[in-house]
Amino acid sequence: MADLSSTFVGIKSPNPFWLASAPPTDKAYNVTRAFRAGWGGVVWKTLGEDGPPVVNVNGPRYGAIWSGDRRLIGLNNIELITDRPLELNLREIKQVKRDWPDRAVVVSLMVPCLEEAWKAILGRVEETGADGVELNFGCPHGMSERGMGSAVGQVPEYVEMVTRWCKANTRMPVIVKLTPNISDIRNPARAAKNGGADAVSLINTINSITAVDLDSFAPEPTIDGKGSHGGYCGPAVKPIALNMVAELARDPEMEHLPISGIGGVTTWRDAAEFLALGATNVQVCTAVMTYGFRIVEEMISGLSNWMDEKGHKTLDDVIGRAVPNVTKWEYLNLNYVTKAHIDQELCIKCGRCHIACEDTSHQAIMAQKQGVRHFEVMDDECVGCNLCVNVCPVEDCITMVPMAPGSMDPRTKKPVAPGYANWTTHPNNPGAVEAAD
Amino acid sequence: MSGEQVRSGIASGRLEPAQYAANFADLHPVLSSHEARVEADRCYFCHDAPCMTACPTHIDIPMFIRQIASSNPLGAAETIFSENIFGGMCARVCPTETLCEEVCVREIAEGKPVKIGQLQRFATDAAMAANKQFFARAAATGRKIAVVGAGPAGLSCGHRLAMLGHLVTVYEKKDKPGGLNEFGIAAYKAVDNFAQAEVEWLLQIGGISIEYGKALGRDVALDRLRAEYDAVFVAIGLGAARALDIPGAELDGVDSALDFISRLRQAGDLSALPVGREVVVIGGGMTAIDAAVQAKLLGARSVTLVYRRDRSRMPASVFEQDLAAAHGVHLIFNANPVAVTGAGSTEAVTFEYTSQDGERLVATGETFSVAADQVLVAIGQVMEAGPADLAVADGAFVRSEHNRSSLAGVWVGGDCARSGDDLTVSAVQDGKVAALSIHESLMG
């Protein structure tokens, strides 16, 4: 049985599945239910400074996109940070941590860009016995217009400054949560590191409009005929999040600063992928907002069974394992030649591979053979692009088969060269340089 | 069980009054919008889709399903109606399991085809509920065309001709349009007077007038039509049920299944409709199934359907066979009727077992008897005497390319022009093809 216990910046939890700072972690009632269901930790929904609580809209806060059977693919929200009194939240955090000492309780914070404001709240959080704080530099709506959230996260200098204030004013580990609404995730991440952050967590939500109501011509979610951009999350954002996590995991300047992976984690498999790309744990929100807390059972069991099957004993055997395999395009092996192959036994003859290739790619899949409906790859036209694999509705029906070095590529009419060769030395590259001896 | 139900002979009111409505409710509940979108999402939008090829009218099925999936049911309906103006009825009566759905790649892959028929119903119902018309008449051509028969073939032809700007006069023997849609199909497949509603809807295009009570040969002569009109389309159906030619076939209680269905379809009050206590249906096609199931639904205690060949050769689809079985119809295969017996009215049918020797049916000499106070005969239709100058072969008018008959200026289609294939959808295609051919010959 694999050991799923996790240690993230010194914070221990029985598994790497935390709930992200969001509505599911807004109060003790929810968090207690989550812990009972088996979640390893929570990041409590973002607290603001003392005073009159923030005000949320009273119309819809969420918008969504769905697949045909209304499976939720992407969710967007315009909810703000907690709208409950600070004192109430702090009291509940203290009680929950006392009741659940083996679970991680991290508190998300967002206060104005003044050192005094951060110092004041850090002290009060420390008193609760919470395990750490996460600085919310990511929220893209509502708070950002007030100079907080992503308004800070988009300016590396601010990220560094606030992080430094926090480190100077607390003994708790400081996790900096990053906004993806920037051009290069490495800049704010490096700033966090330079400010002394113990870790980064990413991604926060992505600026988005989920839909437009075509009767009222208003963006959704619509509040009295108007809409505003909201933060996008859920399965649809996972590829973006994975890339950003990988960018930080392989950035030498980050020096392996721990990463908490966030963005569309819905199943154990998603979590394992984040871990493989360098995240030490994952945070989940949309999946529980869709299905409830019980999904953690599937995540624990799935991750554990996969690790057992593969012989991974602890999370450290998995974390970062895919990072060395992420590289720049220019280092990809140009001698690796593949051809699509259609398994005729599995083929159901829908013809999607053919029309995709015929209309939009390389005219490499026939639709007929001797007058009979038949889909087969013509190797002399196939560039190995994989589009047919992606549009085929049957799993494993079309596969990409590598050609053996030395065999003749019927498309180029040249033998497949042995060994490794990339763009940096390719004769067509005007910037190619001869490798030094 | 009420007393009426067990009363022998042919009697009405075998069921509690409320039971009739329940028994004759819609066979397939209509898909909700969400169900339709989920089902539509299963379609792979195949290239050169096999379902389209299998459809006799070549509806662009992947396109209309994609239109449903994208919440555009009226667009879907337009796609359907542009190839098949009887798309609503075909969605109800087509044996999709032997046409489009049989070749659906999902059927190949998992044995569960996309429910094309039900999706077509969803889209066409939406259009009819909105009373949406998709087609307008082209500029008047000044040409007049006579159509004989207001069934699916005739009205399909008439509608297409009207679209193309011609003036159409339809001559119909009966006092109602619709043909077998109105008179020859189980009630639970066309509830709420759908056949009439559909005809009313399609006639809204204008340019089509129907003269009822006008039978070809009796009230109108083909010669006169040829003289008065620029072209004639004859789609008069077959008209006569093939009679049972065995001893006792003349006894009271022996009836044509088609007449039984027709009476049922035209009945205002089903509880007034008599049905036998023990019913035997002879035949293996859709009409046999429709008659057998409806006899059961009317309260017959036992219904036995007897087909002379084996199950694999039964013209009724497996779905139809299962439908009958699910309603408690007893199916007997490989048995040929040899005599109906009874004193004055029918009491039993004697059958002889058969075996198949290649394509030949061999009588085994072994007989058995099934009690029957009503015998419904569904062994096909034969052509009533038609116009002598139209050539006939294999029991149908001879037709050549584009449904031209043996006479210049006369086109034929539907059941009277095809032997064997009696599907509504084929008749619709015949009418469409003939209309396009007439148009080309007049305007080309």
Side-chain angles (χ1 to χ4, degrees), chain B residues 106-410:
Chain B
R106 286 255 190 198
E107 168 66 25
I108 312 299
E110 62 203 68
K112 291 193 186 74
V114 175
K115 293 172 184 165
I116 299 169
Q118 291 199 57
L119 288 171
Q120 180 166 321
R121 165 99 186 256
F122 173 81
T124 53
D125 275 10
M128 299 230 355
N131 196 23
K132 172 85 177 164
Q133 291 292 320
F134 298 100
F135 310 105
R137 297 187 65 200
T141 60
R143 304 298 183 132
K144 297 185 304 172
I145 292 125
V147 169
V148 189
L155 291 179
S156 162
C157 181
H159 185 272
R160 183 61 58 143
L161 289 168
M163 267 173 77
L164 295 167
H166 307 294
L167 264 183
V168 179
T169 304
V170 182
Y171 294 92
E172 167 57 43
K173 180 172 71 175
K174 292 202 154 89
D175 59 357
K176 258 185 176 181
L180 289 180
N181 287 355
E182 175 60 35
F183 298 100
I185 279 162
Y188 49 75
K189 290 179 183 170
V191 299
D192 300 330
N193 207 20
F194 182 78
Q196 291 306 305
E198 182 175 50
V199 171
E200 279 169 32
W201 170 82
L202 71 86
L203 289 177
Q204 285 177 36
I205 191 168
I208 306 172
S209 60
I210 306 185
E211 298 198 12
Y212 295 106
K214 296 285 167 62
L216 189 64
R218 186 187 73 191
D219 309 297
V220 282
L222 187 57
D223 282 352
R224 203 197 94 203
L225 295 179
R226 291 180 73 200
E228 290 180 8
Y229 292 89
D230 296 298
V232 182
F233 179 60
V234 175
I236 55 174
L238 290 170
R242 181 177 280 123
L244 198 58
D245 185 20
I246 56 173
E250 74 291 348
L251 285 172
D252 279 353
V254 179
D255 200 356
S256 135
L258 211 50
D259 287 347
F260 170 73
I261 292 168
S262 174
R263 282 198 303 276
L264 197 152
R265 283 292 299 278
Q266 302 306 312
D269 174 11
L270 289 174
S271 69
L273 201 68
V275 67
R277 185 178 66 180
E278 277 96 23
V279 177
V280 166
V281 179
I282 299 171
M286 301 276 250
T287 301
I289 300 276
D290 283 0
V293 171
Q294 293 191 113
K296 196 80 183 126
L297 294 175
L298 279 176
R301 279 190 70 184
S302 84
V303 176
T304 308
L305 187 154
V306 187
Y307 176 54
R308 62 196 175 123
R309 298 181 186 274
D310 63 29
R311 184 189 282 273
S312 69
R313 290 164 201 270
M314 195 174 196
S317 67
V318 171
F319 172 82
E320 295 283 336
Q321 294 173 30
D322 289 348
L323 183 74
H327 280 87
V329 173
H330 181 209
L331 300 171
I332 296 177
F333 298 93
N334 285 107
N336 222 352
V338 291
V340 183
T341 54
S345 64
T346 171
E347 288 167 18
V349 186
T350 304
F351 293 91
E352 180 174 22
Y353 281 114
T354 66
S355 67
Q356 202 83 37
D357 176 20
E359 281 310 299
R360 214 164 56 89
L361 206 55
V362 183
T364 63
E366 278 182 84
T367 61
F368 64 95
S369 191
V370 181
D373 39 32
Q374 187 172 29
V375 179
L376 299 174
V377 181
I379 54 175
Q381 282 184 284
V382 289
M383 189 187 282
E384 283 178 319
D389 30 7
L390 280 179
V392 170
D394 290 335
F397 293 133
V398 172
R399 57 175 177 160
S400 56
E401 212 187 359
H402 306 311
N403 295 330
R404 286 173 180 275
S405 76
S406 57
L407 279 181
V410 180

Side-chain angles (χ1 to χ4, degrees), chain A residues 72-92:
Chain A
L72 190 140
I73 296 168
L75 185 71
N76 131 322
N77 86 89
I78 55 168
E79 185 172 295
L80 303 184
I81 63 173
T82 185
D83 53 12
R84 305 190 324 140
L86 178 62
E87 186 53 42
L88 176 62
N89 274 310
L90 293 170
R91 202 162 57 231
E92 289 187 0

